[in-house]
Amino acid sequence: KLREAWPTAPTMGWDYWVRTAFYREQKECIIPEVSRSHHASLKGSSIKDAKQVLLFESMALAQIPSTCTVSAPCNHFGNISYLLAEEYEARLRRVIDSAPRLTIQGSNVLPPRDNQLNTLHVVPYMREIFMTMAEKVGLQPRGTKNSIPHDVRSEHYGVVAGRLTQSRVPVLLVDRRSSRGYL
């Protein structure tokens, strides 16, 4: 389907176009722990300054070669049926409903109690303050502010996975105004 809808002269970068095309088809990239793309070049149409180079250099690249082929099923990830929409949505709701909440104060996320450092926490947020929190939840490396557009990426209806940079506490940022009504 994507190939059929590919524009002959897209006005935005391919990654932006693919992301919005998937949304139109109600498909998406599952919340990744590792970025879905990595720029290896030091310059290009969307790489314009040293901050962007720093951002991309901080991303990990896979070191294990793929053994998947086009002629056989790929089983690198085991049983991933839990990622099908209905099961994924049900699991995500259970996690959000049961996770303790952290509070945003100014542009800081207040830390959890010491006995909850390994517990996943939910941080309710609104998109207008997302970029003030991006570095604090590990979504933007230090020193790379304004190197990428100010929008929420790699999200599921306003839910973004991250880790508090100071304590490494895992968090789910959950948009208070998500159309899915998670909060």
Side-chain angles (χ1 to χ4, degrees):
K1 276 188 155 183
L2 186 60
R3 184 174 291 152
E4 295 166 9
W6 196 267
T8 54
T11 57
M12 297 298 289
W14 68 270
D15 56 337
Y16 177 83
W17 188 86
V18 167
R19 189 170 64 250
T20 59
F22 280 140
Y23 274 174
R24 284 193 299 274
E25 294 292 325
Q26 295 185 353
K27 297 181 183 337
E28 62 187 321
C29 175
I30 298 299
I31 298 173
E33 281 290 321
V34 178
S35 176
R36 64 180 163 63
S37 67
H38 181 86
H39 295 260
S41 177
L42 297 179
K43 60 183 177 177
S45 62
S46 64
I47 302 174
K48 304 201 182 301
D49 62 37
K51 281 184 181 180
Q52 290 170 307
V53 173
L54 177 64
L55 173 69
F56 295 126
E57 285 177 345
S58 71
M59 294 178 182
L61 290 174
Q63 301 298 315
I64 302 170
S66 175
T67 57
C68 295
T69 68
V70 294
S71 59
C74 182
N75 201 22
H76 277 257
F77 304 106
N79 179 358
I80 57 172
S81 62
Y82 68 94
L83 296 175
L84 294 172
E86 191 173 306
E87 177 66 17
Y88 184 79
E89 191 68 24
R91 284 177 178 227
L92 184 60
R93 285 184 184 280
R94 285 193 302 271
V95 166
I96 291 170
D97 289 346
S98 64
R101 304 303 196 247
L102 293 179
T103 306
I104 299 169
Q105 193 171 64
S107 63
N108 293 313
V109 177
L110 298 181
R113 295 190 298 264
D114 285 341
N115 65 343
Q116 293 185 322
L117 295 179
N118 293 320
T119 303
L120 175 74
H121 286 73
V122 165
V123 179
Y125 79 100
M126 290 188 286
R127 287 183 182 262
E128 296 84 354
I129 65 164
F130 177 78
M131 289 310 293
T132 64
M133 299 170 33
E135 185 178 309
K136 292 171 180 70
V137 295
L139 300 175
Q140 183 176 26
R142 202 169 276 137
T144 61
K145 189 174 183 180
N146 297 323
S147 61
I148 58 173
H150 290 195
D151 62 349
V152 182
R153 296 178 179 215
S154 300
E155 51 93 23
H156 174 78
Y157 295 94
V159 177
V160 183
R163 285 187 180 271
L164 297 180
T165 53
Q166 295 293 317
S167 61
R168 304 297 300 147
V169 170
V171 294
L172 282 181
L173 282 80
V174 181
D175 188 341
R176 293 178 182 277
R177 296 180 298 218
S178 171
S179 62
R180 295 285 172 102
Y182 293 121
L183 297 175

